[in-house]
């Protein structure tokens, strides 16, 4: 739109509400991290929670829950904590897992989690609903990749960029996130019902991140990490 929202300085992470009508963001406050919720243009901010997990980043997967994730490293255990707005409860919902990174589905409260054995030797991937303690919907897709290389194209469909080789990337995901390692990826369509993978694209030397699937599933957009350019791929 033509409107511009000016947010406070010092914000460390930010997330839209699922309905797009609100913003949540975090700001350091001494040794504490404040969680603030405002309307969609940044007005009427309210401090709703404080946590000592000062380096956490937030996501907002469901109307009542805002999730805090600790920074990912193959050398350190990572966790997810959920703050429930209606009750004020703050609890661990996933972890410990080394190198933990997550991507939430826009269709339900499932996520793709990528993590690593201690030391970051390789990447492991799992699809699950962390709010279900019994993990009844948990599964391992047929290929493993870093969660930020994926996009949910449907409730049971996942599109992921998968490195052709991880050689020279250890420890993971540290070297990848620092830019010391650039992968060369192919793009796969994963059917979560059948747990099968179909190749969509396998050309050039793209290091792919920030995938977005068009609603009609006829285009896939991504950022090339090698030079920061934006690309579109027409899906047949």
């Amino acid at each position: 739109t033509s409107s511009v929202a000016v947010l406070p300085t010092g914000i460390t992470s930010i997330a839209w509400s699922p309905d797009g009508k609100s913003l949540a963001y975090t700001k350091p406050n001494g040794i504490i991290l404040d969680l603030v919720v405002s309307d969609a243009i940044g007005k009427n901010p309210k401090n709703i929670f404080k946590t000592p997990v000062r380096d956490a980043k937030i996501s907002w997967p469901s109307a009542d829950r805002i999730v805090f994730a600790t920074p990912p490293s193959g050398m350190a255990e990572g966790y997810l904590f959920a703050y429930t707005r209606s009750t004020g409860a703050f609890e661990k919902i996933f972890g410990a897992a080394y190198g933990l990174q997550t991507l939430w589905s826009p269709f339900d409260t499932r996520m793709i989690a990528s993590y690593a054995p201690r030391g970051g030797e390789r990447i492991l991937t799992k699809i699950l609903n962390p709010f279900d303690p019994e993990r009844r919907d948990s599964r391992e897709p047929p290929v493993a990749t870093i969660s930020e290389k994926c996009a949910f194209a449907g409730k049971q469909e996942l599109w992921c960029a998968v490195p052709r080789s991880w050689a020279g990337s250890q420890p993971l995901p540290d070297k990848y996130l620092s830019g010391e390692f650039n992968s060369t990826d192919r793009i796969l369509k994963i059917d979560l019902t059948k747990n099968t993978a179909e190749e969509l694209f396998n050309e050039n030397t793209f290091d792919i991140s920030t995938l977005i699937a068009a609603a009609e599933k006829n285009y896939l957009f991504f950022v090339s990490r090698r030079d920061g350019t934006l690309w579109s791929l027409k899906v047949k």
Side-chain angles (χ1 to χ4, degrees):
T1 68
S2 59
S3 62
V4 175
V6 179
L7 298 173
T9 59
I11 289 174
T12 55
S13 64
I14 191 165
W16 288 104
S17 63
D19 62 7
K21 295 180 179 180
S22 301
L23 284 170
Y25 55 87
T26 53
K27 287 190 65 180
N29 181 6
I31 61 171
I32 298 297
L33 190 69
D34 287 340
L35 175 64
V36 182
V37 171
S38 71
D39 60 25
I41 57 173
K43 294 185 177 180
N44 304 311
K46 295 180 181 179
N47 283 45
I48 64 170
F49 182 64
K50 299 179 183 294
T51 174
V53 189
R54 195 174 183 272
D55 55 357
K57 306 297 182 185
I58 60 168
S59 52
W60 199 338
S62 68
D64 198 34
R65 293 184 175 109
I66 297 174
V67 173
F68 292 73
T70 58
S73 171
M75 303 301 197
E77 294 177 331
Y79 298 87
L80 294 183
F81 301 94
Y83 169 68
T84 303
R85 300 175 70 197
S86 59
T87 65
F90 186 68
E91 57 187 342
K92 184 184 77 174
I93 58 171
F94 191 77
Y98 288 88
L100 179 62
Q101 293 179 269
T102 59
L103 176 76
W104 292 90
S105 169
F107 304 100
D108 53 28
T109 53
R110 286 187 303 172
M111 69 179 189
I112 176 171
S114 60
Y115 53 101
R118 183 176 183 177
E121 297 175 3
R122 64 188 188 278
I123 287 293
L124 305 170
T125 304
K126 184 173 288 187
I127 311 292
L128 70 149
N129 178 356
F131 301 116
D132 176 9
E134 297 181 6
R135 304 286 193 260
R136 288 167 292 190
D137 197 28
S138 176
R139 69 196 69 183
E140 295 182 5
V143 292
T145 190
I146 292 172
S147 60
E148 73 172 47
K149 289 182 172 289
C150 294
F152 283 90
K155 191 170 184 179
Q156 297 295 340
E157 190 173 322
L158 188 66
W159 293 1
C160 289
V162 180
R164 297 171 192 159
S165 171
W166 292 104
S169 63
Q170 292 76 18
L172 284 165
D174 304 57
K175 276 195 174 182
Y176 174 82
L177 295 173
S178 68
E180 295 179 67
F181 170 75
N182 283 113
S183 60
T184 300
D185 302 333
R186 57 194 181 119
I187 299 176
L188 302 177
K189 179 173 69 173
I190 301 170
D191 186 320
L192 297 178
T193 301
K194 300 177 182 178
N195 209 32
T196 57
E198 173 190 347
E199 190 172 273
L200 293 177
F201 179 75
N202 190 7
E203 298 178 22
N204 299 320
T205 58
F206 290 111
D207 180 354
I208 295 171
S209 70
T210 321
L211 279 75
I212 300 174
E216 298 80 8
K217 301 181 186 179
N218 56 343
Y219 279 93
L220 178 65
F221 304 93
F222 64 85
V223 172
S224 170
R225 291 178 76 242
R226 294 182 186 273
D227 57 10
T229 51
L230 178 65
W231 294 76
S232 67
L233 172 67
K234 185 172 177 60
V235 181
K236 297 180 181 179

